[in-house]
Amino acid sequence: MRVLLLLATLLLSHAVHALPGNYLAQQRADGDFALVAADTAAVILVDQHEHKGVLRAVDSLQRDINSVSGRQLTIAKQGQAKQLLIIGSLGNNALLDQLVSSGKLDVSAIAGKWDAYHIQLIAQPLPGVDQALVIAGSDKRGAIYGIYDLAETIGVSPWHWWADVPPVQRAELYIKAGTAFSDAPKVKYRGIFLNDEHPALTNWSEEKFGGYNSRFYLHVFELLQRLKANFLWPAMWNNAFADDDWQNAVLADEMGIVMSTSHHEPMMRADKEWNRYGEGPWEYSTNRDNIYKFWQQGAKRHKNLESLFTLGMRGQEDEPMSEGDNIELLKQIVADQRQILQETFNDRPIASVPQVWALYKEVQGFYERGMRVPDDVTLLWADDNFGNIRRLPTKAERNRSGGAGVYYHFDYVGAPRSYRWINTVPLAKIWQQMSLAWQYQADRIWIVNVGDLKPMELPTDFFLRMAWNPDAFNADNLQQFTTDWAAQQFGAAQAPAIASLLQTYTAHNGRRKPEAIEPGSYSILHYAEAERISTELAQAEALADKVQQQLTAQLQDAYVQLVAHPLKASRAVFELNRAVAMNQLHAQQGRASTNYWAERVKYWFDTDANLTAQYHSLGNGRWNHMMSQPHIGFTYWRNPPANLMPVVSVASPMPVADMGVAAEGSKLSWPISEYRGEQLKLDTFYPHGQQQRQIEVFNKGSEPFEFSAKASADWVTLNQSQGAVKTEQRIAVSIDWRKAHTGLNQAEVYIQGTGWAGAKVQVSAFKPAVAATTGFVEADGYIALDAASAKAGGNTAEAGWQRLEGFGHSAAAMVALTERDYQPDEANICQAPYLEYPLYFHSTGQVMLHSKVAPTLQLLPGRKLRFAVALDDAQPVIVDTLPDSSEPAWQHAVLDSSRTLKTPLHIKQSGAHWLRIYLLDPAVVLHKLLLDTGGLQPSYLGPPQSLYLTDGSAAINGAQ
């Protein structure tokens, strides 16, 4: 039933609010509850027998209300007032029990549930009391979540401490009359993993708190509470959570945070504890007794603290076991660990002791080869460290009592490239992957590696809210979530603009992570690719500055952290690499402007450093060290020890005038090309293709010169026929199609400058004999299609294509959504849901379809990731999106954030055609389609989408 409801929700684009706030009255009305009014304020009433964690949260709420309204509410253990705020957990608050027994409070929706809470406004609950706002938790955490739901509703962001977001100021606070609702999480354990925490988080915590002690973790735990999370893998690179400060563990239990240890740290013992106390090697086959005792101590230490025990064993420091693929040994290890737990928790069945086996990296191989653990142990499936889930539960596995979960990544150290510096994961990708986890019932544990926590605020918030209620999110409300989130931090007025900035930088980083960008990543030769991205990011930065100027002084620090810094820092890394590429090209061509681009490299390198310094200076050094992760100068997977300035070429132009000429789309330049017998030429023009191409006249010396340019045919148009060059000048070449004849036209542009010789640049233009009528028109040797420009047809309740904004190599992708056990009818593929693209070809013969898809992995054993392609009425061709599962192929795909598949198609005759993409398997995400008719040039994102004609009326400059 869950799957059908999920699919229907996705396909019907039903919107569900994911952020609290709908029960705060913006204007007072009759029956509203006065939490804070001009002449009165409610009294907070709690029970003396309440959990310490609840009482701590009540104190926090008192501070939050004061920070919003300037009024400090009284907290009482007994007594009454006209307006009461009654807070407690069921079974620990006599007044709640009284209200329930009297029929004034109905808690049936939360009774016996995990982490649930109920908020209700009650009229005349007690003699002498006009109204009471009740926050009742099914347990300790439920009450805490209800408390922080109210705090968030009145205007305190969960990020008020961690990102300096100021509370909204309201002199009066009223809760709407009739307020009554309950809520409970859909995923049981929802949390984060602080990891790869040196140098940033470690140096910051050392400076501010003296290390990873309870003073530090207090703020981590409170953030988790405010985001309704309950689970943590603590920082562990050089730390041991419970051993460094025992109050860490005590405080976590008090505040309702279920503690565990990471995927390679069994039995609540930190990896570094073995370094401190272990005897002998970390080899179970030869040192069983010492390791067994080590694990016994961990179980005993956490017996009375809410914990989730990690089973299994890997090598130290997150390496594979040195014993290799010894399944029998691993079975013995798990059996011994279970024995330890049974002996420790001898007052209960072992199945009631929470346990997890993390199927990370090579450990999944043990499982696939037959290793099993008892059904009550949760199987924690992992992604590939780049946000692509490797495996989800089969039908049989979904019946295990221990259930399953997912370990996800926003941060990673390892091949093919570490990424630890900044947020790089679009929310749309998180949603697409984690909605699959929810659909396939991997719902016991959701934990995400957040690295240093900052600057992963946005995806962390999204991940944990989605873990609370995956059904609240669908492909059509992700953009709204970003806008709502921006409004929560900065107010509604600037929220749409801020949301667009967040989406711009996350989409950019999602296409290729900054650490993986190199000078050759984006083309500086074809489709103006690097230049287009540069313009997009520059415009975004200009908007970011404009928005910042309109924000109050109190919002400035938060804005830098959450918006301006990640955008500008991401741009700086891109521009640095673009400048290196331009410097290399200009040096190769002998241009005097080589030095300009060398200076730009230095400028962007310094800009990156200045942005880091600005971040570290916020709040008088409040976040010092937090952006200190090296991210420039990778030579292999590991980050360099410090940001390294790229090597650049420097020219020494002579005090003369010396002309050079280059044609767009080529590294060749005159006069070097002439010496080599190579001809400069522009790519062929087509009526519905690129309308201008550039010829660059540049100086190789330091003295200016004049040039002239002349075309050999009147159908070639130049925007200038002469000019003066100090560094370089561009001549825009276009075609007067009224003067060109049908078929191939050829001419040349002759450029005269210094010396007696001149440069010749070939120009060709193809004018079809028959005018294009409708569809995406072939031009420049290809048809380029953004996947989301399709017309979707044939969607059903079982399967369908869904548009997904902000994910992929264009503005939006198309994702295949299916019912969980959907199986296509391969004998009737044409009956499957499809994407249809109208096309118009001038060419005939074979064309190559390049399909760009997300690097999604095969989620279920025996189930592939396929779609089918058909041109017109031809038999559909099945395309496997994962034809090569090798390590090199995977590395290439995750660095590119895309996988390109090639399918030959045949065009029998020119004219109008249509292309269909049929849905076969779930989880396929289609980014872009490129039909190469002989002119497709190499680029990272592919060319912009081809021109679309609706009625054949779009003539260009006289062209048919």
Side-chain angles (χ1 to χ4, degrees):
M1 179 62 70
R2 172 200 294 183
V3 179
L4 292 175
L5 289 174
L6 172 66
L7 188 61
T9 297
L10 297 172
L11 295 179
L12 294 175
S13 304
H14 177 63
V16 182
H17 290 292
L19 297 177
N22 61 350
Y23 58 96
L24 179 70
Q26 299 304 312
Q27 292 184 337
R28 185 178 186 180
D30 290 343
D32 288 351
F33 174 80
L35 188 63
V36 174
D39 56 351
T40 186
V43 171
I44 302 174
L45 193 61
V46 295
D47 193 288
Q48 60 183 349
H49 298 106
E50 191 54 76
H51 293 286
K52 288 183 180 180
V54 175
L55 297 177
R56 182 186 288 273
V58 168
D59 289 341
S60 180
L61 177 63
Q62 181 190 51
R63 292 191 297 271
D64 287 347
I65 293 171
N66 182 56
S67 70
V68 170
S69 67
R71 300 279 293 277
Q72 181 157 313
L73 272 59
T74 299
I75 300 174
K77 297 292 194 302
Q78 58 184 359
Q80 65 180 46
K82 293 294 184 182
Q83 305 280 322
L84 284 179
L85 174 54
I86 303 171
I87 301 174
S89 58
L90 300 182
N92 295 288
N93 189 301
L95 185 52
L96 287 182
D97 295 341
Q98 179 182 336
L99 292 173
V100 171
S101 62
S102 67
K104 294 185 176 182
L105 178 65
D106 182 2
V107 294
S108 59
I110 66 169
K113 286 191 175 180
W114 174 269
D115 289 3
Y117 63 92
H118 179 78
I119 296 179
Q120 183 176 340
L121 187 56
I122 302 174
Q124 298 178 334
L126 300 167
V129 179
D130 292 340
Q131 287 177 308
L133 180 65
V134 175
I135 299 176
S138 63
D139 52 21
K140 172 175 62 179
R141 274 190 297 273
I144 291 170
Y145 296 148
I147 290 168
Y148 283 123
D149 193 286
L150 177 60
E152 191 172 359
T153 296
I154 66 173
V156 180
S157 166
W159 299 98
H160 80 99
W161 194 91
W162 277 97
D164 301 316
V165 178
V168 176
Q169 299 300 297
R170 295 185 173 99
E172 298 182 325
L173 298 170
Y174 294 96
I175 303 303
K176 292 179 182 178
T179 292
F181 68 94
S182 301
D183 208 356
K186 301 290 181 63
V187 175
K188 186 170 185 178
Y189 295 105
R190 313 163 305 281
I192 64 173
F193 179 19
L194 299 177
N195 193 218
D196 309 328
E197 62 270 17
H198 184 83
L201 186 63
T202 294
N203 288 337
W204 177 79
S205 65
E206 287 284 351
E207 179 179 296
K208 305 303 180 184
F209 300 103
Y212 292 109
N213 52 36
S214 56
R215 293 175 57 233
F216 163 81
Y217 275 110
L218 170 67
H219 298 290
V220 176
F221 298 156
E222 185 176 312
L223 175 67
L224 293 176
Q225 290 177 328
R226 289 179 182 271
L227 292 172
K228 299 187 176 74
N230 63 359
F231 189 55
L232 179 69
W233 285 354
M236 42 66 64
W237 262 27
N238 291 296
N239 313 285
F241 178 79
D243 192 58
D244 291 341
D245 181 356
W246 175 240
Q247 289 305 307
N248 286 341
V250 173
L251 183 64
D253 188 69
E254 176 185 309
M255 296 180 71
I257 305 302
V258 181
M259 291 305 302
S260 188
T261 41
S262 70
H263 54 89
H264 71 102
E265 298 177 297
M267 300 296 287
M268 296 303 297
R269 298 306 300 263
D271 180 79
K272 293 301 177 284
E273 288 188 80
W274 181 258
N275 294 345
R276 299 172 186 177
Y277 311 117
E279 297 180 18
W282 183 255
E283 306 279 356
Y284 205 73
S285 58
T286 61
N287 196 27
R288 175 183 179 275
D289 289 348
N290 286 324
I291 296 175
Y292 192 97
K293 292 176 183 177
F294 179 73
W295 288 340
Q296 281 181 314
Q297 294 163 2
K300 181 179 179 181
R301 182 174 65 188
H302 288 267
K303 178 179 180 179
N304 297 316
L305 304 177
E306 196 173 9
S307 308
L308 203 164
F309 287 85
T310 298
L311 303 186
M313 185 176 184
R314 294 189 81 214
Q316 278 201 282
E317 298 184 355
D318 206 8
E319 293 293 328
M321 287 175 58
S322 58
E323 287 96 341
D325 296 342
N326 191 336
I327 290 179
E328 292 305 316
L329 177 62
L330 187 55
K331 287 180 178 179
Q332 182 61 53
I333 289 170
V334 172
D336 286 353
Q337 291 168 339
R338 298 266 293 181
Q339 179 62 33
I340 291 170
L341 293 176
Q342 187 64 79
E343 293 171 352
T344 304
F345 297 91
N346 53 18
D347 58 341
R348 70 198 76 171
I350 190 171
S352 67
V353 179
Q355 302 156 67
V356 61
W357 184 32
L359 302 171
Y360 180 69
K361 285 191 174 181
E362 83 289 341
V363 180
Q364 182 179 328
F366 284 89
Y367 184 88
E368 305 294 6
R369 290 189 296 275
M371 170 68 190
R372 293 293 183 269
V373 294
D375 272 10
D376 59 89
V377 177
T378 302
L379 299 180
L380 188 65
W381 301 101
D383 68 359
D384 62 352
N385 302 303
F386 281 77
N388 307 295
I389 297 174
R390 299 170 66 192
R391 174 83 142 72
L392 287 174
T394 63
K395 186 174 183 179
E397 290 162 351
R398 294 195 290 271
N399 292 322
R400 297 178 70 259
S401 60
V406 171
Y407 169 35
Y408 204 71
H409 284 77
F410 298 157
D411 165 287
Y412 177 60
V413 170
R417 188 62 58 90
S418 297
Y419 61 100
R420 303 168 52 193
W421 170 53
I422 211 160
N423 174 28
T424 65
V425 187
L427 302 190
K429 178 169 185 175
I430 302 170
W431 172 82
Q432 189 266 333
Q433 289 288 299
M434 296 310 297
S435 64
L436 288 167
W438 172 242
Q439 182 179 5
Y440 284 87
Q441 292 179 233
D443 55 9
R444 187 64 55 89
I445 301 170
W446 282 16
I447 185 164
V448 60
N449 186 330
V450 299
D452 299 310
L453 183 55
K454 298 180 69 66
M456 307 299 179
E457 297 95 340
L458 174 61
T460 299
D461 193 308
F462 178 82
F463 183 92
L464 293 176
R465 290 188 196 272
M466 187 175 176
W468 179 267
N469 184 9
D471 290 331
F473 298 86
N474 60 64
D476 287 322
N477 69 9
L478 303 179
Q479 307 285 310
Q480 186 61 49
F481 172 84
T482 307
T483 302
D484 292 345
W485 191 83
Q488 184 185 68
Q489 319 312 321
F490 304 106
Q494 298 299 327
I498 291 173
S500 75
L501 296 172
L502 295 171
Q503 291 156 1
T504 294
Y505 97 78
T506 51
H508 170 73
N509 287 346
R511 290 169 186 154
R512 193 170 186 90
K513 298 183 185 301
E515 294 89 340
I517 294 179
E518 297 171 343
S521 295
Y522 292 97
S523 179
I524 59 173
L525 297 173
H526 304 302
Y527 312 121
E529 181 174 67
E531 192 171 347
R532 283 188 291 114
I533 296 171
S534 176
T535 299
E536 177 188 22
L537 294 177
Q539 291 173 344
E541 182 167 329
L543 176 60
D545 289 341
K546 181 180 178 180
V547 169
Q548 187 168 358
Q549 292 169 6
Q550 297 173 16
L551 296 176
T552 65
Q554 291 79 9
L555 290 168
Q556 294 295 315
D557 284 7
Y559 184 77
V560 170
Q561 293 167 60
L562 299 176
V563 184
H565 179 84
L567 169 64
K568 293 181 178 183
S570 299
R571 182 192 178 204
V573 170
F574 167 80
E575 293 289 7
L576 171 76
N577 283 279
R578 174 176 175 248
V580 172
M582 294 296 289
N583 172 258
Q584 293 171 346
L585 176 63
H586 285 211
Q588 179 181 330
Q589 296 175 340
R591 301 194 191 200
S593 54
T594 299
N595 291 345
Y596 167 80
W597 287 107
E599 291 167 0
R600 297 306 291 172
V601 174
K602 182 65 164 59
Y603 169 83
W604 287 111
F605 186 79
D606 290 345
T607 295
D608 175 85
N610 292 337
L611 288 168
T612 299
Q614 178 198 37
Y615 194 107
H616 289 168
S617 69
L618 295 173
N620 295 317
R622 175 165 164 77
W623 302 110
N624 190 33
H625 304 295
M626 270 296 193
M627 288 297 107
S628 59
Q629 172 60 45
H631 50 275
I632 298 174
F634 282 80
T635 56
Y636 70 126
W637 67 265
R638 186 183 292 276
N639 62 265
N643 289 328
L644 302 178
M645 169 72 183
V647 175
V648 296
S649 297
V650 178
S652 299
M654 300 299 291
V656 296
D658 189 8
M659 183 179 79
V661 177
E664 179 182 341
S666 173
K667 292 182 178 181
L668 296 177
S669 66
W670 181 90
I672 299 173
S673 59
E674 187 169 308
Y675 299 150
R676 296 176 177 173
E678 298 170 314
Q679 179 67 53
L680 295 184
K681 61 181 180 180
L682 294 171
D683 290 339
T684 301
F685 286 87
Y686 292 82
H688 295 102
Q690 186 175 328
Q691 293 302 294
Q692 282 192 347
R693 303 189 192 278
Q694 306 291 330
I695 297 173
E696 290 189 325
V697 183
F698 58 85
N699 202 343
K700 303 173 73 175
S702 60
E703 295 296 318
F705 65 87
E706 295 183 348
F707 74 91
S708 63
K710 183 178 181 180
S712 65
D714 63 353
W715 51 267
V716 179
T717 301
L718 308 179
N719 73 329
Q720 58 178 324
S721 59
Q722 59 184 13
V725 176
K726 181 177 181 181
T727 304
E728 62 188 33
Q729 284 284 332
R730 286 185 173 184
I731 303 171
V733 181
S734 57
I735 306 301
D736 186 342
W737 292 103
R738 293 167 298 189
K739 297 178 180 179
H741 62 74
T742 299
L744 183 64
N745 299 261
Q746 292 184 312
E748 66 181 23
V749 175
Y750 181 73
I751 303 165
Q752 177 71 49
T754 59
W756 59 271
K760 296 179 181 178
V761 181
Q762 290 183 346
V763 179
S764 58
F766 185 82
K767 185 176 182 179
V770 180
T773 55
T774 185
F776 294 98
V777 183
E778 176 195 357
D780 300 342
Y782 62 84
I783 296 177
L785 305 167
D786 293 341
S789 63
K791 179 186 78 174
N795 282 357
T796 69
E798 283 190 306
W801 290 101
Q802 168 70 46
R803 181 184 176 93
L804 185 56
E805 298 277 350
F807 181 27
H809 282 198
S810 54
M814 296 302 290
V815 57
L817 302 176
T818 71
E819 191 272 339
R820 190 167 56 203
D821 297 317
Y822 168 80
Q823 290 290 341
D825 181 0
E826 295 187 32
N828 295 288
I829 291 177
C830 293
Q831 302 303 311
Y834 61 85
L835 301 173
E836 184 173 286
Y837 306 85
L839 311 174
Y840 192 96
F841 285 100
H842 294 296
S843 299
T844 59
Q846 181 172 293
V847 300
M848 188 65 72
L849 172 64
H850 298 240
S851 303
K852 287 179 168 284
V853 300
T856 308
L857 298 176
Q858 189 171 311
L859 299 169
L860 298 169
R863 187 70 189 258
K864 294 187 176 182
L865 295 171
R866 305 165 302 161
F867 59 88
V869 177
L871 191 65
D872 300 328
D873 295 321
Q875 179 66 27
V877 177
I878 293 178
V879 179
D880 184 354
T881 70
L882 195 57
D884 183 354
S885 299
S886 67
E887 180 76 7
W890 169 79
Q891 291 194 5
H892 186 77
V894 295
L895 288 181
D896 287 351
S897 298
S898 182
R899 195 178 292 122
T900 300
L901 314 160
K902 295 183 180 181
T903 309
L905 301 174
H906 190 76
I907 309 298
K908 294 180 180 179
Q909 61 183 28
S910 60
H913 298 264
W914 48 263
L915 175 73
R916 281 190 176 182
I917 307 294
Y918 291 99
L919 188 156
L920 293 183
D921 293 314
V924 172
V925 182
L926 191 62
H927 289 169
K928 201 173 183 80
L929 298 167
L930 304 172
L931 293 124
D932 183 7
T933 60
L936 186 66
Q937 301 292 345
S939 65
Y940 187 73
L941 300 177
Q945 181 161 268
S946 297
L947 183 68
Y948 179 74
L949 298 181
T950 57
D951 56 9
S953 62
I956 298 176
N957 195 22
Q960 291 183 312

